[in-house]
Amino acid sequence: AYLDNGFGKGFDKSVELAHRAESEADDKRVELERALYKNELLPDSRSDLLILLEVSDKIANRIEDVMFAISIRQIEPLEEISDDCRRLIEPVEESVLTVLKAIRVMFHSPKEVHEIVEKVDELESLVDDLAHEIIRKVYSLDLKLSRKMQLDWLISHIADIADIAEAVASRLDIIAIKRTL
């Protein structure tokens, strides 16, 4: 909505949806933490799952942060990099969806997690390359330095979502190895 139409009802609705989803994720995290402590899980399993909950929550937090920043800072989309940003967002989204798949797989087939984790690593590397390419392009454009820095910040923070997904995937890989021992 943002890249197609800038600010407006569509974008505002997206920001509100992101806020609600992040808030629901926080509520679920707290609920799961309580359940983990109440149930008779082995301490090692409990700590792994608590860490997984904490690092996973950072994905939703970063998405919400980026959307609020766009809204609050009124970061106008830039036509010259709109297509590039779409190319960046695709693997960012795929990295998040892939790590969510890895979480589900970990509970019933931990041996399959490593292959999925490798896919997240590949996506994160692609995101880094695309982000660097777009930031270079931004600094080559005839814009005020403040506008360049604003777009640099935005692109970097969007790319950070894939970095966080990679951190979750790395944690999942360790948990899956422990579960297969």
Side-chain angles (χ1 to χ4, degrees):
Y2 166 72
L3 289 173
D4 291 338
N5 304 315
F7 301 105
K9 288 182 182 181
F11 181 71
D12 291 342
K13 183 177 180 180
S14 295
V15 171
E16 179 58 32
L17 287 172
H19 174 66
R20 269 193 261 142
E22 194 282 330
S23 194
E24 287 174 22
D26 282 343
D27 293 344
K28 288 288 185 196
R29 180 182 49 82
V30 170
E31 182 182 319
L32 287 168
E33 286 172 349
R34 286 187 173 139
L36 286 172
Y37 277 111
K38 286 180 180 177
N39 294 323
E40 297 294 322
L41 287 176
L42 294 171
D44 192 39
S45 296
R46 184 172 43 216
S47 68
D48 283 340
L49 293 175
L50 287 169
I51 291 168
L52 180 60
L53 283 171
E54 287 178 24
V55 294
S56 298
D57 186 49
K58 291 178 182 181
I59 295 172
N61 290 344
R62 180 51 54 98
I63 293 168
E64 182 186 37
D65 290 347
V66 167
M67 294 188 73
F68 272 137
I70 292 168
S71 178
I72 292 166
R73 295 174 181 171
Q74 296 289 297
I75 302 173
E76 291 289 338
L78 185 64
E79 181 69 31
E80 292 89 341
I81 62 167
S82 287
D83 289 339
D84 298 312
C85 288
R86 282 183 182 85
R87 280 190 5 226
L88 175 67
I89 290 168
E90 286 175 14
V92 168
E93 180 181 17
E94 188 177 350
S95 70
V96 172
L97 295 175
T98 303
V99 84
L100 291 173
K101 176 184 176 184
I103 290 170
R104 286 189 296 274
V105 167
M106 196 260 310
F107 288 104
H108 62 81
S109 302
K111 289 182 179 180
E112 296 177 26
V113 168
H114 183 72
E115 186 176 320
I116 300 169
V117 166
E118 287 180 339
K119 177 69 174 170
V120 176
D121 289 341
E122 291 170 16
L123 289 164
E124 189 277 333
S125 292
L126 173 62
V127 167
D128 280 348
D129 292 343
L130 290 169
H132 293 148
E133 177 186 318
I134 298 167
I135 291 168
R136 275 190 200 90
K137 185 174 183 178
V138 164
Y139 281 100
S140 73
L141 296 171
D142 185 26
L143 301 169
K144 289 183 178 182
L145 181 58
S146 59
R147 177 78 164 132
K148 291 178 182 182
M149 292 174 69
Q150 184 182 54
L151 293 168
D152 181 336
W153 180 93
L154 179 60
I155 293 159
S156 296
H157 278 69
I158 291 170
D160 282 348
I161 296 166
D163 289 335
I164 297 167
E166 182 184 39
V168 173
S170 295
R171 175 54 62 182
L172 268 173
D173 205 18
I174 292 167
I175 294 169
I177 289 168
K178 290 165 101 176
R179 291 180 68 118
T180 58
L181 294 178

